[in-house]
């Protein structure tokens, strides 16, 4: 009973931390998901085909996306 009463003041902080973790996990899932990586690579190909990116810009952007995918898998 006393333990419960003493923990009441920190419950809002615990709730904020729990919510922040859920948000961070979802952001990671969306950023590193295979579908998100595929969409980004498809968008880069589209932009290159439309002339919005030259070959060097395309390769640099593609490498950043692939590095992010590889980095996440190694964690």
């Amino acid at each position: 009973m006393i333990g419960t009463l003493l923990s009441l003041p920190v419950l809002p902080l615990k709730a904020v931390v729990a919510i922040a973790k859920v948000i961070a996990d979802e952001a990671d899932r969306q950023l590193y998901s295979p579908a998100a990586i595929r969409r980004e690579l498809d968008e880069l190909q589209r932009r290159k085909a439309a002339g919005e990116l030259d070959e060097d810009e395309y390769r640099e952007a593609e490498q950043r996306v692939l590095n992010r995918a590889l980095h996440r898998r190694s964690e």
Side-chain angles (χ1 to χ4, degrees):
M1 174 81 166
I2 292 176
T4 303
L5 290 174
L6 292 175
S7 67
L8 285 177
V10 296
L11 284 180
L13 178 61
K14 286 183 178 183
V16 169
V17 170
I19 291 169
K21 180 168 178 13
V22 168
I23 292 170
D25 289 347
E26 180 61 18
D28 278 351
R29 187 188 68 75
Q30 288 183 17
L31 183 64
Y32 295 107
S33 75
I37 299 296
R38 180 77 253 160
R39 280 191 303 272
E40 281 193 61
L41 292 172
D42 289 346
E43 176 63 13
L44 288 173
Q45 289 174 345
R46 185 202 63 75
R47 291 183 63 202
K48 182 182 173 205
E52 296 174 18
L53 296 174
D54 65 28
E55 185 65 30
D56 289 337
E57 293 170 323
Y58 171 78
R59 288 191 189 281
E60 287 175 24
E62 180 186 47
Q63 193 61 53
R64 282 194 304 271
V65 172
L66 294 174
N67 284 343
R68 189 178 76 223
L70 292 172
H71 174 71
R72 179 61 178 177
R73 291 195 195 284
S74 66
E75 289 182 353

